[in-house]
Amino acid sequence: MFRITLTGLLAHRLRLVLTSLAIVLGVGFIAGTFVLTDTIDAGFTQSFAADADKVDVVVTPDDDAEPDGNLPESALAAIRAVQGVEDAQPMVSGDAPLIGKDGKVVGNVPTAGVSIPASRIKITSGRAPSAAGEAVLDKNTAKTQGLAPGATVTVLDQAGKRQQFRLVGVFDVGLDQDLAYRGAVAFTPDTARRVTGAKGFTEIDVVSSGPSPESLRTAVAAAAGKAKVVTGRERADEVAKRNHVDTSFLRLGLLLFGAVALLVAALVIYNTFNILVAQRMREMALLRCIGATKRQVFGSIVLESAVVGLLSSVLGLLTGLGLGAAAVAVLRAVGTDIPTGTVSLSPQAIAIGVCTGVVVTMGAALLPARQATRVPPVAALRAQVEEHAFRTGVVRVVVAALFVLTGVGLTAAGVLQKPGQAALLTVMAGGVLVFFSVLILGPVIVRPLSGLAGWVPARLFGVPGRLAVDNSRRNPKRAATTTVALTVGVTLMTFMTVLTSTMRTTVGDQLDQQFPADYILSAQTGTIPRSVADTLRASRDLAAVTEFRGKKAKVNGRDFEVGTVTQSALGTAIKPEAASGTMDGFGAGEVAVADLVAKDLGVKVGDTVTVASGGRRTSLKVVAVLKADVSLLPPFTMAEQTFERHFGRVDDAQVLVNAADGVAPERARKIVDDATAAYPVVKVGSTTEIRGQFDEALDSILMVITGLLALAIVISLLGIANTLSLSVHERTRESALLRALGLTRTQLRGMLSVEALVLGLVGAIVGVVLGIVYGWAATATFTENVSFQLPIGQILLFIAASGLAGVLAALLPARRAARASVVGALAAT
């Protein structure tokens, strides 16, 4: 039986290639994921090791220290006095907002002002700063701002005054994620302290003159006082462990898409072996006649699947190595800050890839192998293979009904729950069960869906079209297993499209509610001088200027943000939505509370709260509880006059500006920019820009996910092509008879293409319905006020693309069928 199995495989090499290609892609994606993440991990390890070799001992503030608790200058002197210390270099860190070409500070958070020890700073061009008037800039900020050594850079010091420096170099922040996000300007230690106002040091790096790092660590710890002292290697391992968490999440996310690809591949392989068993029924019956047992027949099919799985997995590993190397090459080409090591396949990747490929392939072949054992020896005497009629069966209906009821129940429970992660997981669990029910009922629903999808083609393409529709319906079990692979991909694509479209619309509506203004003024650090709003209010081209102010205070003994808003804006520019109570006539002695805070404190409309700060106490009556998710107001909102009596004159935290009707956006923007030109920390934004940034982020996410899911789509199309190829072989006599009765080669090709078109449309219809339903259900678990958006154009495109893809998958099988000799095919059976 072993020789017979191998001989059969070698005799049908094309069939072997088509069967294995799906698993090659699935395993390749899994292996590529491990190659990519292992390469990144190796890069991190190499970088950490390089940093560790430069420093013997690292001293940082104690873990119990306050967030701004730095090492005192006395610690540096004490460490330098320790015997065995060759050098000790301090690191200073604080805020040094960099002013860009537009005259505004760069970024959403202040640029870091640092002094990095000479042994640790990585200069990529120029040199390190050595004088008070010199500075170096991180390479990403230098690139985005178009700055190079020799240029002049301007930063704001601790007092908000402009300080200019000559840029003498550009440096790499390495693996410091905080500096990579904020950007950094590096100075000499004294200059860094003067600009940032930092007291003490955030780190001291110690180099040994002879003693081992471990013995020096003990001596330094005794001199440093209350501080955390570790060796350079321990520090590198600590940071490496913290960064490796990120790659584990990346690996998990990519493996989820790999699992989807393998699921689709398993469905394709199951369908392939199912058809092969049906085609080889006479062969297996003949084996039974000459003495093969059921166990041997079963073993031959399982052995064939094991050989296919093993060969496919090996090819998949090589494919994965190529995919991983390509991903690493892209990371290096685009100049990311992610370090990468040598590209290679780890033993873990090899073991997981091979085991997964073999197990999935053999698992998919078990049911067809079991079916093969039921072939009676008398089948060898039949002239042709019988085509079994499909029967629904009571068990199938009962099991599917249980899955449907449970899945729908979980989905409804998730939608009715309070929005959150638990609700989303409940909906997803329901979706999985409903999908399983569709999988079980596939042969039942494929008949009516084939009729629906083939209604137009049957009328457009005449006799070949009607024959194609009949062919797609006559073996519903095969059609269902063929289309379900495509259904998986289309479901996920539709789900993501509906989800992103709905979230885009929902966020847009919420922005319109929360930011009912054309322009938003905010300060990167500190507050906005009141003179800015006064200047804006004096312009006739602006319709409304709304100011927000806030201060920290204790409310009923707990720390909260307490604020106010321009009184005249309430009910006009600002329209808060109350869960209970009202802000109509809002005035002195009253307060509005956000619903989440009210629930936390246990207060309601009519209760009294006490605001205390700076030795003052003010009692306020709660007149409204506001919906926090659609409110721009702070947790506690006081009337403008009451706020000023309690806190005194406070500058603005945020200013909203509306242009007057008929004023061009360019004109209004210039007025706002001119009013804020003297204040570089005051940044001007607009709801259009915020919505654009959100849309850009969503589009990027959708593009990445679409690219990853495309693998599942490709595998499913291979399944359609494979099924049609085997089906063409199975129906050789039938095709020849149709040719003999007058069907032309073009009509035969058209018939098979229409059949593939119908199969593609059936998979797309089921996938679109599931994707729409669960896209809506998922968005309902994110927020209570969902603005559902159905992207009809994109969904129709998915359906059309699925049908077209099915036709393309049928090109080679149809060409093969059309080229077959009529006489030879009739004579061979």
Side-chain angles (χ1 to χ4, degrees):
M1 290 300 296
F2 179 77
R3 289 196 299 272
I4 291 173
T5 301
L6 294 183
T7 303
L9 281 172
L10 293 175
H12 301 90
R13 287 184 289 273
L14 179 60
R15 185 181 72 196
L16 174 65
V17 171
L18 290 173
T19 306
S20 63
L21 196 53
I23 207 71
V24 167
L25 293 176
V27 172
F29 193 91
I30 298 282
T33 296
F34 278 98
V35 169
L36 174 61
T37 53
D38 288 345
T39 304
I40 293 175
D41 283 346
F44 273 116
T45 302
Q46 291 169 10
S47 297
F48 295 137
D51 282 347
D53 292 339
K54 298 176 183 177
V55 180
D56 293 305
V57 174
V58 178
V59 183
T60 56
D62 190 81
D63 291 335
D64 297 329
E66 295 295 325
D68 57 349
N70 291 333
L71 298 168
E73 295 188 22
S74 59
L76 176 62
I79 291 171
R80 284 176 170 169
V82 172
Q83 186 175 1
V85 171
E86 179 179 332
D87 190 20
Q89 291 291 331
M91 180 182 292
V92 178
S93 181
D95 291 343
L98 175 70
I99 298 178
K101 293 180 178 179
D102 60 355
K104 299 294 183 181
V105 289
V106 174
N108 295 321
V109 294
T111 309
V114 298
S115 170
I116 301 176
S119 60
R120 295 275 298 279
I121 193 167
K122 303 173 184 177
I123 300 294
T124 58
S125 65
R127 59 177 177 83
S130 58
E134 297 177 343
V136 294
L137 190 61
D138 74 280
K139 64 178 184 180
N140 287 337
T141 305
K143 182 179 179 180
T144 56
Q145 294 298 314
L147 297 170
T152 299
V153 295
T154 303
V155 300
L156 299 178
D157 64 14
Q158 56 180 317
K161 296 180 179 180
R162 296 172 183 257
Q163 301 282 342
Q164 290 189 330
F165 297 88
R166 188 166 67 90
L167 192 65
V168 296
V170 175
F171 75 103
D172 184 358
V173 298
L175 303 172
D176 192 318
Q177 299 302 310
D178 180 60
L179 294 186
Y181 171 69
R182 297 173 61 186
V185 187
F187 314 94
T188 61
D190 290 339
T191 304
R193 283 197 296 270
R194 175 175 59 83
V195 171
T196 64
K199 305 296 182 184
F201 312 112
T202 56
E203 182 179 312
I204 298 176
D205 294 344
V206 183
V207 178
S208 172
S209 62
S212 67
E214 289 74 17
S215 60
L216 186 62
R217 175 188 59 192
T218 304
V220 169
K226 189 177 181 181
K228 181 179 179 181
V229 183
V230 296
T231 64
R233 177 64 60 181
E234 289 170 341
R235 176 68 169 173
D237 291 341
E238 176 186 325
V239 179
K241 183 178 180 181
R242 188 165 61 243
N243 277 274
H244 282 187
V245 173
D246 295 334
T247 58
S248 67
F249 278 115
L250 172 65
R251 177 179 295 152
L252 178 62
L254 291 175
L255 287 179
L256 288 176
F257 290 97
V260 171
L262 281 176
L263 171 63
V264 175
L267 293 170
V268 169
I269 291 169
Y270 164 74
N271 200 37
T272 301
F273 274 95
N274 227 11
I275 297 173
L276 289 177
V277 167
Q279 289 179 349
R280 295 160 58 191
M281 192 171 293
R282 291 183 64 188
E283 174 188 327
M284 288 180 287
L286 185 60
L287 290 173
R288 293 290 310 282
C289 284
I290 61 176
T293 64
K294 288 186 177 182
R295 179 176 296 181
Q296 287 177 316
V297 171
F298 179 85
S300 70
I301 302 296
V302 173
L303 176 61
E304 183 174 340
S305 68
V307 172
V308 171
L310 182 61
L311 292 175
S312 303
S313 299
V314 172
L315 292 174
L317 290 176
L318 297 176
T319 303
L321 182 61
L323 290 174
V328 171
V330 170
L331 289 178
R332 290 172 178 167
V334 299
T336 63
D337 291 324
I338 300 176
T340 53
T342 303
V343 177
S344 63
L345 275 171
S346 66
Q348 179 189 25
I350 295 173
I352 292 176
V354 171
C355 290
T356 302
V358 172
V359 169
V360 167
T361 307
M362 293 180 67
L366 287 179
L367 285 178
R370 183 170 175 269
Q371 184 68 28
T373 62
R374 298 179 179 177
V375 179
V378 72
L381 305 176
R382 294 171 185 160
Q384 62 182 22
V385 178
E386 291 183 0
E387 191 170 289
H388 297 284
F390 172 75
R391 298 175 184 174
T392 304
V394 177
V395 174
R396 181 185 295 270
V397 172
V398 171
V399 173
L402 289 176
F403 273 104
V404 167
L405 291 175
T406 308
V408 171
L410 284 174
T411 303
V415 171
L416 294 175
Q417 282 183 42
K418 184 179 179 181
Q421 184 177 4
L424 178 61
L425 292 176
T426 304
V427 166
M428 292 299 98
V432 171
L433 292 179
V434 169
F435 179 79
F436 281 141
S437 70
V438 172
L439 189 64
I440 296 169
L441 285 177
V444 179
I445 64 177
V446 77
R447 281 182 181 273
L449 288 178
S450 295
L452 175 64
W455 187 82
V456 173
R459 281 153 182 77
L460 286 179
F461 298 101
V463 173
R466 291 195 294 273
L467 287 172
V469 175
D470 289 340
N471 283 336
S472 67
R473 302 177 66 185
R474 76 181 189 182
N475 194 331
K477 191 172 182 180
R478 177 194 298 170
T481 50
T482 301
T483 58
V484 74
L486 184 61
T487 299
V488 174
V490 175
T491 297
L492 294 173
M493 293 282 287
T494 306
F495 171 83
M496 286 306 306
T497 304
V498 171
L499 185 66
T500 52
S501 297
T502 300
M503 291 306 298
R504 200 189 310 273
T505 304
T506 300
V507 169
D509 292 344
Q510 291 181 353
L511 280 174
D512 291 339
Q513 290 179 343
Q514 296 187 31
F515 298 96
D518 296 318
Y519 302 100
I520 306 163
L521 277 60
S522 58
Q524 187 189 76
T525 57
T527 55
I528 306 171
R530 287 198 179 191
S531 58
V532 173
D534 294 338
T535 301
L536 292 170
R537 196 173 283 111
S539 174
R540 295 180 178 180
D541 292 325
L542 303 179
V545 178
T546 305
E547 300 160 83
F548 290 83
R549 304 183 190 108
K551 291 288 285 186
K552 291 286 186 182
K554 286 190 178 295
V555 182
N556 286 1
R558 293 174 58 180
D559 291 328
F560 285 103
E561 177 79 17
V562 179
T564 187
V565 63
T566 306
Q567 197 76 22
S568 59
L570 286 173
T572 54
I574 303 296
K575 300 176 181 179
E577 187 175 342
S580 61
T582 178
M583 291 190 74
D584 293 341
F586 189 64
E590 297 177 338
V591 66
V593 187
D595 53 4
L596 298 178
V597 176
K599 182 179 180 181
D600 187 31
L601 288 179
V603 299
K604 58 184 182 300
V605 174
D607 290 348
T608 300
V609 297
T610 302
V611 178
S613 66
R616 293 172 177 259
R617 296 175 65 85
T618 302
S619 294
L620 302 169
K621 180 182 178 182
V622 178
V623 296
V625 175
L626 307 178
K627 294 182 179 180
D629 59 341
V630 291
S631 174
L632 189 64
L633 298 176
F636 290 90
T637 303
M638 302 167 64
E640 196 172 6
Q641 301 86 346
T642 307
F643 182 87
E644 295 220 347
R645 277 201 303 269
H646 184 91
F647 293 102
R649 185 177 176 83
V650 177
D651 281 336
D652 299 328
Q654 192 175 59
V655 178
L656 305 186
V657 181
N658 276 322
D661 292 338
V663 176
E666 298 79 10
R667 168 66 180 163
R669 180 61 187 251
K670 186 177 186 307
I671 294 171
V672 176
D673 286 341
D674 290 344
T676 60
Y679 307 99
V681 295
V682 178
K683 306 196 74 173
V684 180
S686 68
T687 52
T688 301
E689 292 173 355
I690 296 174
R691 187 180 283 106
Q693 292 170 359
F694 181 78
D695 286 346
E696 185 178 346
L698 271 183
D699 289 339
S700 299
I701 294 172
L702 184 60
M703 187 183 301
V704 171
I705 292 177
T706 300
L708 295 174
L709 291 178
L711 180 66
I713 301 290
V714 170
I715 294 175
S716 64
L717 295 180
L718 287 173
I720 293 177
N722 203 9
T723 300
L724 283 174
S725 295
L726 296 169
S727 181
V728 164
H729 174 74
E730 184 181 87
R731 286 150 45 187
T732 301
R733 180 180 175 81
E734 176 186 317
S735 299
L737 185 60
L738 289 172
R739 289 284 313 284
L741 292 174
L743 204 68
T744 65
R745 288 184 174 181
T746 301
Q747 288 176 319
L748 181 60
R749 283 196 297 266
M751 181 189 76
L752 293 173
S753 298
V754 171
E755 184 178 345
L757 169 66
V758 171
L759 291 177
L761 291 177
V762 168
I765 291 170
V766 177
V768 162
V769 171
L770 290 175
I772 290 174
V773 171
Y774 281 92
W776 166 80
T779 56
T781 65
F782 290 159
T783 179
E784 292 179 354
N785 301 304
V786 176
S787 301
F788 183 69
Q789 184 72 20
L790 186 62
I792 297 176
Q794 289 176 286
I795 289 174
L796 291 176
L797 183 63
F798 289 157
I799 296 175
S802 298
L804 177 62
V807 173
L808 293 176
L811 288 179
L812 288 178
R815 182 169 177 266
R816 179 187 171 193
R819 293 177 64 183
S821 168
V822 176
V823 176
L826 289 173
T829 55

